[in-house]
Amino acid sequence: MTNRGSSVRLQRSLRMRVSAACAMSFLGVVAVVCLAMPRAYEEQARAAFDQQALTVARTLSFLREHPGATEGHDVIEEWLHSEPLFLSAAITTADGTPVERWPMNAAAPAVPTGRPSVTRLTDSHVAFHPMVTAEGRPLVVSVRLSSDTLAKDLENVRWLFASLFLFTSVVFYLLSLYLTRTILNPIEEIGRAAMDLADGEPNVHVPTTGDREIDDLGAFIKKLGENRRHSRVMENPLELLNRSRRQRGVPGTNAARGTEEK
């Protein structure tokens, strides 16, 4: 009974180790695919959008610092509206007083800054860039771009990684099912056959899986059962000896006579 209990514990331990390995691998893939990669992509996409807004603000700052590069306010407004994500732009003083605005009725952001920066709002990003007029007057250029396209892209990416998570879950489920049916279950059946053989039962059933290593082990257990059956049907060696002596006319030993009398 002790040996049988030990065997059961070993079988459960093997199943537990396989299950733990599959679970740990699955959690590792989930951590990478569903947590790290989406977050990294989101940060990269937001950083690229911030850089795009800063580029527009830097270009507007250059155009206003060099009036000869354009023909006036209308040309700059036309250029700004050619940007698909453009919402508004403004040039303000250090205290936030608007000097120029595109379009004219746009509200100037009340976040003046002395260095290039980006403020992320719910539906837009506002880029700030300092500039200095020909008279040496410090101003701040602000450009507001819509982040609706960015939000849609991030939503599509989330759905993509959710699909990858579902696909990964199915793959790991099928993998664990395959390991259970092709390795664990046959090993447990072979273990039960070995315990029956150890308990004295020579007629044992050993499964055939098609895997060489497992089938070799099963064949060994089956061979032991066959040897056990042959040993049970063999005659007593002492009886064979007495029969041989009788056939040659040699009297048997006292022990043999006692055995024959019995």
Side-chain angles (χ1 to χ4, degrees):
M1 296 299 293
T2 303
N3 293 334
R4 183 179 295 275
S6 300
S7 176
V8 172
R9 285 195 294 271
L10 288 175
Q11 292 171 7
R12 291 177 179 175
S13 177
L14 178 61
R15 183 180 293 273
M16 184 178 299
R17 286 196 296 269
V18 172
S19 301
C22 291
M24 292 179 63
S25 301
F26 174 72
L27 292 177
V29 172
V30 168
V32 173
V33 173
C34 300
L35 296 178
M37 292 181 63
R39 189 173 184 84
Y41 177 83
E42 181 176 350
E43 289 300 324
Q44 183 178 5
R46 292 186 184 278
F49 191 81
D50 292 345
Q51 188 60 39
Q52 180 182 359
L54 281 173
T55 299
V56 177
R58 187 181 301 111
T59 303
L60 179 57
S61 173
F62 173 81
L63 294 177
R64 299 313 293 156
E65 287 179 344
H66 303 80
T70 62
E71 297 180 0
H73 183 94
D74 295 338
V75 176
I76 293 179
E77 183 174 6
E78 182 179 354
W79 166 73
L80 289 174
H81 282 287
S82 65
E83 170 63 43
L85 304 178
F86 172 77
L87 292 178
S88 64
I91 298 178
T92 61
T93 61
D95 59 359
T97 303
V99 176
E100 289 185 87
R101 289 179 289 185
W102 295 270
M104 294 299 297
N105 58 349
V111 190
T113 181
R115 59 183 178 83
S117 63
V118 175
T119 300
R120 296 177 180 178
L121 304 178
T122 303
D123 59 346
S124 62
H125 288 195
V126 181
F128 300 92
H129 195 279
M131 64 167 288
V132 180
T133 63
E135 296 80 12
R137 183 185 181 188
L139 299 175
V140 177
V141 173
S142 61
V143 175
R144 184 166 174 253
L145 299 183
S146 173
S147 58
D148 290 343
T149 302
L150 175 64
K152 292 179 181 179
D153 291 342
L154 295 179
E155 185 68 21
N156 292 335
V157 169
R158 294 188 186 100
W159 279 108
L160 172 62
F161 283 106
S163 301
L164 290 177
F165 169 75
L166 181 61
F167 173 77
T168 305
S169 302
V170 173
V171 169
F172 273 92
Y173 173 75
L174 295 178
L175 176 61
S176 61
L177 192 63
Y178 170 78
L179 293 176
T180 299
R181 290 186 175 181
T182 60
I183 298 179
L184 294 181
N185 290 344
I187 288 179
E188 290 180 353
E189 291 184 17
I190 292 176
R192 286 191 291 269
M195 293 307 302
D196 292 339
L197 187 62
D199 291 340
E201 174 59 48
N203 298 314
V204 295
H205 172 71
V206 180
T208 302
T209 64
D211 295 326
R212 186 181 61 185
E213 293 78 3
I214 297 179
D215 288 345
D216 288 345
L217 179 60
F220 175 73
I221 298 297
K222 187 176 182 180
K223 187 65 175 178
L224 289 178
E226 293 176 355
N227 293 338
R228 175 65 62 85
R229 288 197 300 272
H230 291 326
S231 66
R232 284 191 172 186
V233 299
M234 287 180 62
E235 295 187 57
N236 190 328
L238 189 57
E239 294 178 357
L240 292 175
L241 177 61
N242 292 332
R243 185 182 302 114
S244 177
R245 286 180 176 180
R246 285 196 301 271
Q247 290 174 355
R248 290 180 298 173
V250 179
T253 61
N254 294 332
R257 292 194 187 95
T259 303
E260 291 176 355
E261 293 175 356
K262 291 181 180 179

